[in-house]
Amino acid sequence: MNVNSPNSLLTVPTGQLKIPELPPTSVSVGSKTILLSLVIPTYKERDNIKNVVKTLSQLLDESIPRDYELIVVDDDSPDRTWEVAQSLIGKYPQLRVMRRQQERGLSSAVIRGWQVARGSVLGVIDGDLQHPPEVLTQLFTAIERGADLAVASRHVDGGGVSSWSIVRRFLSRGAQVLGLIILPGVVGRVSDPMSGYFMVRRSAIAGTILHPVGYKILLELIGRGRIGEIAEVGYVFCERQEGESKVTWKQYVEYIHHLLRLRLSTGLLGKFSNRTRFPIGRFIRFGLVGFSGVFVDLTVFRLLRTVIHLGLTRSTIFSAEVAIVNNFLWNDLWTFGDISKRQQEPHQRLKRFLKFNAICLAGVILQTLVVNLLCNALGMNEYFAKLIAIAIATIWNFWLNLKLSWRVTDVK
Ligand code: GDD
Ligand code: MN
C-alpha cells in the first residue's frame, strides 16, 4: 500500500542507482518488510498490463499471500500504460505503480523499482506475458534454498523460445558468444545471460552502485553484485499476445558498450581504474576510434607494401600518420567532443592536432620499436607484431592525449 492515498503513483527515486540495504522506511507501512518485490517494467503495454497483474496476483496470492508486491515501472508510455495500471490498484492492494518521466530505459526502470521495494527478494518479469508466471514459484524456491540469484533460462532443460526467427536466435546466441569472449567471468556464470526474468537476494546487491546500459540488467548484477550461488530454471519464452518488442539495433550496441564498460570496470582493470579515476567511457570511445584507425592503418600499410612496394619502416610510418589524422578528427569530434567544443578557435584546434600528432608520432616510434623487436628479434609474423604494437601505442596515446592535448583546464 502507498503511504499516501492508496491509488497514488510512487515517487520516482533520483540520483545513484543503488539498492538500499533495508526497505526504505518511508514506504514500508508499519516498517513491515515482505518476502518478494516483483518489478514489471513497461513501455506501451496498455493491452497486456491488466492480464499480467491479474495472472501474477492470482499465482502469488496462492503461494505467498500478502507477502509480495508488484511494482509496475512505466516510462511514461504514450499509450498511458501507467494510468491503466494505476486504475487496478483498488482491486489489487499488492500493486504499486511508478510513472517515470525524466529517465528512460529498461535496466534503470527495474532498479528504480527495486529502490522503493520492501521485499528481501527482488525480482523482475516482463510486462507482456512472454515470461510464463508459473516459473516464479520455482525461482522463489531456489532463493529460499540458498541461491543468491535464480534465473529463468531458455537454454537449460525445459527451456526454449516459442517461435523466434533464425535471425533473432542467431543474434541472441551471437551476443552470448561475444559476452563469453569479452567478459567470460560474468557471462560464463549463466546459460542465458540475456534473460530479463530472475530473482535476486537484496543483500547480494544492496549498497552497490549500478551502471546498467540498455536491456541487460542481469549482467550488471553478476558483474558488480556479491553473487554467490546461482540457480537456473528452464522456461519457454512465449509469443507476445499484444503489442510488439521494443528491441532494436540500439539495444545490441548498448549491450556491447555494457560488456566493455563492465570489462573495464571490474576485476584487475576495475581496481586500477578506481584508484586512478580512469575515465572508462572515454577510453572505450578512444579505443573504438583507434579501432577504425587500425583499419585505415593496415589498409594503407598493405597498399604501400604490395602496390607501391615501400620498405617496412617507411610503410609503418606513413600508414600510421594517415591513421593519426583519421583518429584526431574522430577523437576531436566524439571522444573528447565535450571538451573540444569549448575550444573551437582554429589556433586551439591546430594546437590540439600538433600535440596529438607529436604524442601519436612518439607512439609510432614506440610501435616501430615493438614491431622490429617482435619481428627481427623474436621472428614474429609482421602483421601480428603490428597489432600488438598498435595496442601498446593506443594506451600510451590515450593517457597522454587525455592529460596534454584535451586537458580540461578548469578556470577557477
Ligand atoms: N520501463 C521500461 N522502459 N520498460 C521497457 C522499456 C523501457 O525503456 N523497454 C522495454 N520495456 C519493457 C517492455 O514493456 C516489456 O515489458 C519488457 O521490458 C521487455 O521488453 P520487450 O521489448 O518485450 O523485449 P523482448 O520481448 O524482445 O525481450 C527481450 O528482452 C527482455 C528484457 O531484457 C528478451 O531478451 C527477454 O528475455 C528479456 O526479458
Ligand atoms: Mn517481450
Side-chain angles (χ1 to χ4, degrees):
M1 267 72 70
N2 305 306
V3 180
N4 318 322
S5 79
N7 286 23
S8 62
L9 292 170
L10 287 166
T11 311
V12 182
T14 52
Q16 288 180 332
L17 292 167
K18 187 163 74 169
I19 312 298
E21 299 289 344
L22 284 172
T25 44
S26 59
V27 292
S28 49
V29 177
S31 73
K32 175 181 176 303
T33 55
I34 53 176
L35 282 175
L36 172 66
S37 297
L38 188 63
V39 166
I40 309 165
T42 58
Y43 190 66
K44 296 197 277 190
E45 301 296 352
R46 179 185 187 86
D47 299 330
N48 283 318
I49 193 62
K50 208 173 267 178
N51 207 356
V52 168
V53 170
K54 180 173 161 245
T55 313
L56 292 176
S57 300
Q58 278 167 351
L59 191 126
L60 292 170
D61 280 342
E62 265 169 45
S63 49
I64 42 175
R66 285 178 305 288
D67 226 342
Y68 74 91
E69 61 185 351
L70 302 177
I71 304 175
V72 169
V73 181
D74 184 69
D75 282 1
D76 207 19
S77 297
D79 67 2
R80 302 176 78 83
T81 303
W82 52 273
E83 203 169 52
V84 177
Q86 191 178 12
S87 69
L88 300 171
I89 293 176
K91 188 174 175 193
Y92 299 98
Q94 268 73 23
L95 174 64
R96 301 163 74 202
V97 181
M98 187 186 293
R99 174 192 184 188
R100 294 201 309 167
Q101 292 170 290
Q102 310 309 327
E103 265 181 340
R104 254 223 66 182
L106 173 53
S107 295
S108 62
V110 174
I111 296 170
R112 292 301 182 202
W114 286 344
Q115 283 181 306
V116 300
R118 296 174 294 159
S120 53
V121 178
L122 307 172
V124 53
I125 187 169
D126 286 359
D128 54 16
L129 283 173
Q130 288 192 280
H131 289 157
E134 57 278 8
V135 170
L136 281 173
T137 30
Q138 291 163 278
L139 293 174
F140 191 71
T141 307
I143 297 281
E144 281 189 318
R145 286 191 183 140
D148 285 329
L149 178 66
V151 183
S153 168
R154 290 160 289 190
H155 305 318
V156 292
D157 52 339
V161 286
S162 50
S163 58
W164 266 11
S165 66
I166 295 289
V167 172
R168 184 81 198 259
R169 289 172 196 267
F170 175 76
L171 285 172
S172 182
R173 280 302 195 180
Q176 185 172 0
V177 168
L178 193 63
L180 287 169
I181 295 167
I182 297 178
L183 209 58
V186 171
V187 176
R189 291 195 66 187
V190 285
S191 63
D192 186 359
M194 308 299 151
S195 176
Y197 188 12
F198 56 83
M199 286 183 194
V200 62
R201 193 182 301 284
R202 176 192 287 267
S203 55
I205 57 171
T208 306
I209 300 174
L210 300 168
H211 302 275
V213 180
Y215 261 42
K216 303 308 166 192
I217 176 148
L218 181 60
L219 293 182
E220 188 67 12
L221 299 189
I222 300 174
R224 294 188 204 273
R226 298 174 294 281
I227 306 287
E229 187 192 329
I230 299 178
E232 296 193 307
V233 176
Y235 85 101
V236 177
F237 188 69
C238 311
E239 258 316 282
R240 252 184 182 272
Q241 285 150 23
E242 306 289 348
E244 74 283 328
S245 167
K246 284 84 191 172
V247 169
T248 61
W249 279 103
K250 186 170 168 279
Q251 274 72 39
Y252 288 95
V253 174
E254 283 176 339
Y255 169 69
I256 294 170
H257 183 186
H258 194 187
L259 284 177
L260 289 171
R261 192 148 82 171
L262 268 175
R263 170 74 278 162
L264 288 166
S265 58
T266 53
L268 281 178
L269 273 173
K271 289 188 186 63
F272 164 75
S273 67
N274 288 335
R275 236 197 335 272
T276 57
R277 309 278 334 121
F278 192 78
I280 299 291
R282 233 189 258 289
F283 182 68
I284 291 174
R285 295 199 294 272
F286 191 87
L288 292 174
V289 168
F291 202 58
S292 76
V294 169
F295 285 106
V296 171
D297 195 333
L298 288 175
T299 309
V300 173
F301 181 69
R302 179 128 179 98
L303 286 173
L304 293 174
R305 294 286 284 148
T306 55
V307 175
I308 304 181
H309 305 296
L310 211 57
L312 182 68
T313 301
R314 275 183 298 168
S315 303
T316 303
I317 292 171
F318 278 123
S319 59
E321 183 52 38
V322 173
I324 286 173
V325 174
N326 168 78
N327 292 3
F328 173 75
L329 295 173
W330 284 111
N331 281 319
D332 204 43
L333 191 70
W334 184 43
T335 313
F336 300 100
D338 57 321
I339 298 173
S340 58
K341 70 175 176 236
R342 297 201 295 268
Q343 310 166 36
Q344 284 298 324
E345 293 302 315
H347 74 275
Q348 289 175 318
R349 188 189 285 266
L350 177 65
K351 211 165 137 193
R352 279 201 304 277
F353 175 67
L354 294 175
K355 282 188 200 171
F356 181 79
N357 218 331
I359 290 167
C360 292
L361 277 179
V364 171
I365 293 167
L366 182 63
Q367 269 197 55
T368 310
L369 293 174
V370 171
V371 165
N372 280 285
L373 176 75
L374 296 177
C375 288
N376 302 333
L378 304 180
M380 187 184 281
N381 167 284
E382 62 187 36
Y383 289 100
F384 194 60
K386 174 81 174 156
L387 278 176
I388 293 174
I390 288 171
I392 294 169
T394 300
I395 293 170
W396 155 278
N397 289 344
F398 173 71
W399 194 243
L400 286 180
N401 276 304
L402 173 71
K403 294 300 175 195
L404 300 179
S405 311
W406 279 280
R407 184 191 59 225
V408 182
T409 46
D410 284 341
V411 180
K412 296 285 178 270

PDB file of all heavy atoms in Angstrom, residues 23 40 104-105 192 233 277 301 316 328 337:
ATOM      1  N   PRO A  23      14.521  -2.108   3.271  1.00  0.00           N
ATOM      2  CA  PRO A  23      13.484  -1.342   2.567  1.00  0.00           C
ATOM      3  C   PRO A  23      13.403   0.066   3.143  1.00  0.00           C
ATOM      4  O   PRO A  23      13.541   0.246   4.346  1.00  0.00           O
ATOM      5  CB  PRO A  23      12.208  -2.127   2.855  1.00  0.00           C
ATOM      6  CG  PRO A  23      12.676  -3.495   3.200  1.00  0.00           C
ATOM      7  CD  PRO A  23      14.020  -3.345   3.817  1.00  0.00           C
ATOM      8  N   ILE A  40       7.739  -4.931 -12.645  1.00  0.00           N
ATOM      9  CA  ILE A  40       7.268  -5.180 -14.018  1.00  0.00           C
ATOM     10  C   ILE A  40       7.578  -3.935 -14.832  1.00  0.00           C
ATOM     11  O   ILE A  40       6.873  -2.929 -14.723  1.00  0.00           O
ATOM     12  CB  ILE A  40       5.748  -5.454 -14.033  1.00  0.00           C
ATOM     13  CG1 ILE A  40       5.372  -6.542 -13.017  1.00  0.00           C
ATOM     14  CG2 ILE A  40       5.278  -5.829 -15.447  1.00  0.00           C
ATOM     15  CD1 ILE A  40       3.893  -6.615 -12.721  1.00  0.00           C
ATOM     16  N   ARG A 104      14.599   7.099 -18.912  1.00  0.00           N
ATOM     17  CA  ARG A 104      14.036   6.045 -19.750  1.00  0.00           C
ATOM     18  C   ARG A 104      15.013   4.890 -19.792  1.00  0.00           C
ATOM     19  O   ARG A 104      16.220   5.083 -19.602  1.00  0.00           O
ATOM     20  CB  ARG A 104      13.820   6.568 -21.169  1.00  0.00           C
ATOM     21  CG  ARG A 104      12.351   6.820 -21.462  1.00  0.00           C
ATOM     22  CD  ARG A 104      11.911   6.347 -22.818  1.00  0.00           C
ATOM     23  NE  ARG A 104      11.961   4.900 -23.014  1.00  0.00           N
ATOM     24  CZ  ARG A 104      11.626   4.348 -24.194  1.00  0.00           C
ATOM     25  NH1 ARG A 104      11.297   5.097 -25.194  1.00  0.00           N
ATOM     26  NH2 ARG A 104      11.645   3.044 -24.359  1.00  0.00           N
ATOM     27  N   GLY A 105      14.517   3.714 -20.050  1.00  0.00           N
ATOM     28  CA  GLY A 105      15.426   2.569 -20.214  1.00  0.00           C
ATOM     29  C   GLY A 105      14.992   1.427 -19.313  1.00  0.00           C
ATOM     30  O   GLY A 105      14.639   1.646 -18.145  1.00  0.00           O
ATOM     31  N   ASP A 192      21.910 -18.282 -19.740  1.00  0.00           N
ATOM     32  CA  ASP A 192      21.086 -17.344 -20.513  1.00  0.00           C
ATOM     33  C   ASP A 192      21.335 -15.926 -20.016  1.00  0.00           C
ATOM     34  O   ASP A 192      20.491 -15.324 -19.349  1.00  0.00           O
ATOM     35  CB  ASP A 192      19.591 -17.711 -20.372  1.00  0.00           C
ATOM     36  CG  ASP A 192      18.719 -16.856 -21.283  1.00  0.00           C
ATOM     37  OD1 ASP A 192      19.265 -15.979 -21.995  1.00  0.00           O
ATOM     38  OD2 ASP A 192      17.481 -17.052 -21.265  1.00  0.00           O
ATOM     39  N   VAL A 233      16.399 -21.983 -13.822  1.00  0.00           N
ATOM     40  CA  VAL A 233      15.136 -22.720 -14.025  1.00  0.00           C
ATOM     41  C   VAL A 233      14.781 -22.609 -15.502  1.00  0.00           C
ATOM     42  O   VAL A 233      14.780 -21.493 -16.052  1.00  0.00           O
ATOM     43  CB  VAL A 233      14.004 -22.089 -13.158  1.00  0.00           C
ATOM     44  CG1 VAL A 233      12.674 -22.787 -13.442  1.00  0.00           C
ATOM     45  CG2 VAL A 233      14.356 -22.169 -11.674  1.00  0.00           C
ATOM     46  N   ARG A 277      41.041   6.837 -11.015  1.00  0.00           N
ATOM     47  CA  ARG A 277      39.920   7.572 -11.599  1.00  0.00           C
ATOM     48  C   ARG A 277      39.998   7.511 -13.130  1.00  0.00           C
ATOM     49  O   ARG A 277      39.909   8.522 -13.801  1.00  0.00           O
ATOM     50  CB  ARG A 277      39.916   9.049 -11.140  1.00  0.00           C
ATOM     51  CG  ARG A 277      40.022   9.257  -9.670  1.00  0.00           C
ATOM     52  CD  ARG A 277      38.729   9.133  -8.857  1.00  0.00           C
ATOM     53  NE  ARG A 277      37.474   9.399  -9.535  1.00  0.00           N
ATOM     54  CZ  ARG A 277      36.476   8.492  -9.639  1.00  0.00           C
ATOM     55  NH1 ARG A 277      36.630   7.306  -9.146  1.00  0.00           N
ATOM     56  NH2 ARG A 277      35.349   8.761 -10.239  1.00  0.00           N
ATOM     57  N   PHE A 301      48.966   0.480 -44.969  1.00  0.00           N
ATOM     58  CA  PHE A 301      50.221  -0.298 -44.806  1.00  0.00           C
ATOM     59  C   PHE A 301      50.300  -1.338 -45.918  1.00  0.00           C
ATOM     60  O   PHE A 301      51.287  -1.502 -46.614  1.00  0.00           O
ATOM     61  CB  PHE A 301      50.202  -0.957 -43.426  1.00  0.00           C
ATOM     62  CG  PHE A 301      51.435  -1.771 -43.082  1.00  0.00           C
ATOM     63  CD1 PHE A 301      52.660  -1.156 -42.861  1.00  0.00           C
ATOM     64  CD2 PHE A 301      51.355  -3.159 -42.990  1.00  0.00           C
ATOM     65  CE1 PHE A 301      53.793  -1.910 -42.537  1.00  0.00           C
ATOM     66  CE2 PHE A 301      52.470  -3.915 -42.668  1.00  0.00           C
ATOM     67  CZ  PHE A 301      53.691  -3.291 -42.443  1.00  0.00           C
ATOM     68  N   THR A 316      55.392   1.540 -42.319  1.00  0.00           N
ATOM     69  CA  THR A 316      54.819   1.630 -40.960  1.00  0.00           C
ATOM     70  C   THR A 316      54.549   3.082 -40.610  1.00  0.00           C
ATOM     71  O   THR A 316      53.478   3.445 -40.140  1.00  0.00           O
ATOM     72  CB  THR A 316      55.812   1.035 -39.928  1.00  0.00           C
ATOM     73  OG1 THR A 316      56.093  -0.303 -40.293  1.00  0.00           O
ATOM     74  CG2 THR A 316      55.229   1.052 -38.516  1.00  0.00           C
ATOM     75  N   PHE A 328      42.539  11.705 -35.046  1.00  0.00           N
ATOM     76  CA  PHE A 328      42.380  13.049 -34.450  1.00  0.00           C
ATOM     77  C   PHE A 328      40.990  13.577 -34.764  1.00  0.00           C
ATOM     78  O   PHE A 328      40.270  14.071 -33.886  1.00  0.00           O
ATOM     79  CB  PHE A 328      43.428  14.028 -34.976  1.00  0.00           C
ATOM     80  CG  PHE A 328      43.165  15.435 -34.496  1.00  0.00           C
ATOM     81  CD1 PHE A 328      43.441  15.794 -33.188  1.00  0.00           C
ATOM     82  CD2 PHE A 328      42.554  16.368 -35.331  1.00  0.00           C
ATOM     83  CE1 PHE A 328      43.157  17.067 -32.704  1.00  0.00           C
ATOM     84  CE2 PHE A 328      42.245  17.645 -34.864  1.00  0.00           C
ATOM     85  CZ  PHE A 328      42.558  17.989 -33.551  1.00  0.00           C
ATOM     86  N   GLY A 337      34.712  15.335 -27.565  1.00  0.00           N
ATOM     87  CA  GLY A 337      33.846  16.380 -28.119  1.00  0.00           C
ATOM     88  C   GLY A 337      33.346  17.355 -27.062  1.00  0.00           C
ATOM     89  O   GLY A 337      33.290  18.566 -27.292  1.00  0.00           O
TER      90      GLY A 337
END
